[in-house]
Amino acid sequence: MTPQALPQAVPRAELTPVNKVDITTTEYAILAPDYLPTGWTTFAFTNRGGQEHFVAMYRLVEGKTIEDQLRDVAPAFDPIMQGLRSGEMTKADIGPFLEQNVPDWGLQMTWVGGAGLLSNGHSVEATFNIDKPGIYLLECYVKAPDGQWHTLMGMLHQIQVHPGPTEQELPDATHNLTVANTGISGPEVVKAGKHTFRIDIGENPPGFLPYDLHLAKLEEGTDLQQVYFWMDWTNVGGLRAPAPVTFLGGIEQMRAGNHGYVSVDLAPGNYLWVSEVNAANINMPFVVIE
């Protein structure tokens, strides 16, 4: 593919490098900076925990902080899962429950990206644009084996973002992927080795969660329907560790019109791109060859 065009008025040598920061997850913490500049940022993400984790990043509405999120928003999701497990709630009840139990600002966060699902012992680089200053949160809301949300176990981290560089040199993508309501478009065969995938979010789905995209390594006999079921947090057992596949990273939620990059080293085998949102339709298997 043709690399993304650089601004003609800015010679490549004068561009600022993308900001690169180390992000580490454990049980149960996100180890990350407390301050970052705006601009294109690479999360060099390593999962040192024993469960799957991701690091989604979103901006809170002005005036709100991690304390507000932990007090007024995050606790509402625990009774939802309790109700679904007991049968006292159905998926159709989730929206009305959130409207009644979460303040308006609690579902008005601006999702900017982050690093996708990663199995223990793996590393990945995810690059995305943090476009505005403000108070942001990093979150992993995978569920522990007992069903508890990682968020409520300590995996919520606040970052204050201040103004940063305006012109930066973006990664050179080797392949393009586009996520739309009809599915994912991209290469079905890729050669083994290091690749940087540019992921464009072409449309917004219904609901408050925008699309993300995660990369999974498939083994012989992997049940794709089980993977799609697991990706849906509203399912009893959904997003509940352990995962049915090995995850190698991805890009977290962002609204339509935005894009990010995922850099990975792929061995030959069968793989799957899949979104947490509507996984049964927003997925694309592909093959890596020698």
Side-chain angles (χ1 to χ4, degrees):
M1 52 88 64
T2 302
Q4 179 170 327
L6 294 169
Q8 293 184 357
V10 183
R12 177 180 289 267
E14 296 181 11
L15 294 176
T16 302
V18 168
N19 184 35
K20 189 173 182 178
V21 295
D22 291 328
I23 307 290
T24 303
T25 51
T26 64
E27 266 85 87
Y28 293 96
I30 299 173
L31 308 179
D34 295 327
Y35 301 91
L36 282 176
T38 57
W40 285 90
T41 303
T42 294
F43 277 8
F45 173 31
T46 299
N47 181 5
R48 300 196 185 282
Q51 302 172 33
E52 293 76 19
H53 295 298
F54 60 76
V55 185
M57 186 172 188
Y58 52 86
R59 186 176 72 251
L60 294 176
V61 301
E62 187 174 354
K64 300 301 180 181
T65 68
I66 188 172
E67 287 79 15
D68 298 296
Q69 188 81 356
L70 284 170
R71 183 186 63 244
D72 298 333
V73 180
F77 288 85
D78 202 28
I80 289 175
M81 293 313 305
Q82 292 177 9
L84 292 172
R85 284 193 291 267
S86 68
E88 296 176 0
M89 289 183 66
T90 67
K91 292 186 179 184
D93 299 320
I94 294 175
F97 180 89
L98 290 174
E99 290 179 2
Q100 295 174 11
N101 292 276
V102 172
D104 290 342
W105 65 264
L107 298 179
Q108 295 173 359
M109 67 278 281
T110 301
W111 301 87
V112 297
L117 279 161
L118 196 64
S119 294
N120 60 301
H122 290 270
S123 298
V124 70
E125 290 190 354
T127 302
F128 57 97
N129 188 26
I130 307 173
D131 61 343
K132 294 181 180 179
I135 298 297
Y136 289 73
L137 298 182
L138 304 184
E139 181 174 3
C140 174
Y141 54 81
V142 172
K143 301 169 199 167
D146 63 0
Q148 294 188 67
W149 298 96
H150 288 181
T151 304
L152 298 176
M153 302 172 76
M155 301 199 74
L156 194 67
H157 179 84
Q158 178 171 295
I159 294 180
Q160 183 172 341
V161 174
H162 55 86
T166 57
E167 300 290 351
Q168 293 171 283
E169 183 176 354
L170 300 185
D172 288 328
T174 53
H175 300 285
N176 277 19
L177 297 166
T178 299
V179 183
N181 291 328
T182 54
I184 303 168
S185 61
E188 297 181 357
V189 179
V190 172
K191 288 190 175 181
K194 295 182 178 179
H195 294 279
T196 294
F197 293 88
R198 171 173 165 156
I199 298 170
D200 285 86
I201 306 300
E203 295 180 287
N204 290 321
F208 75 94
L209 272 182
Y211 286 123
D212 51 12
L213 201 59
H214 307 271
L215 177 61
K217 177 71 168 67
L218 304 179
E219 304 297 337
E220 185 175 354
T222 296
D223 185 344
L224 291 181
Q225 296 303 316
Q226 182 183 12
V227 177
Y228 304 150
F229 179 92
W230 189 88
M231 294 298 298
D232 185 350
W233 70 267
T234 67
N235 289 327
V236 175
L239 278 188
R240 185 169 178 170
V245 289
T246 298
F247 282 103
L248 302 178
I251 200 77
E252 275 297 333
Q253 289 101 344
M254 56 178 63
R255 305 299 292 179
N258 293 290
H259 69 278
Y261 302 84
V262 178
S263 298
V264 288
D265 192 351
L266 299 177
N270 294 310
Y271 293 81
L272 176 74
W273 289 108
V274 62
S275 176
E276 179 189 336
V277 180
N278 194 14
N281 292 319
I282 311 301
N283 67 77
M284 189 188 76
F286 69 102
V287 178
V288 175
I289 61 174
E290 290 283 4

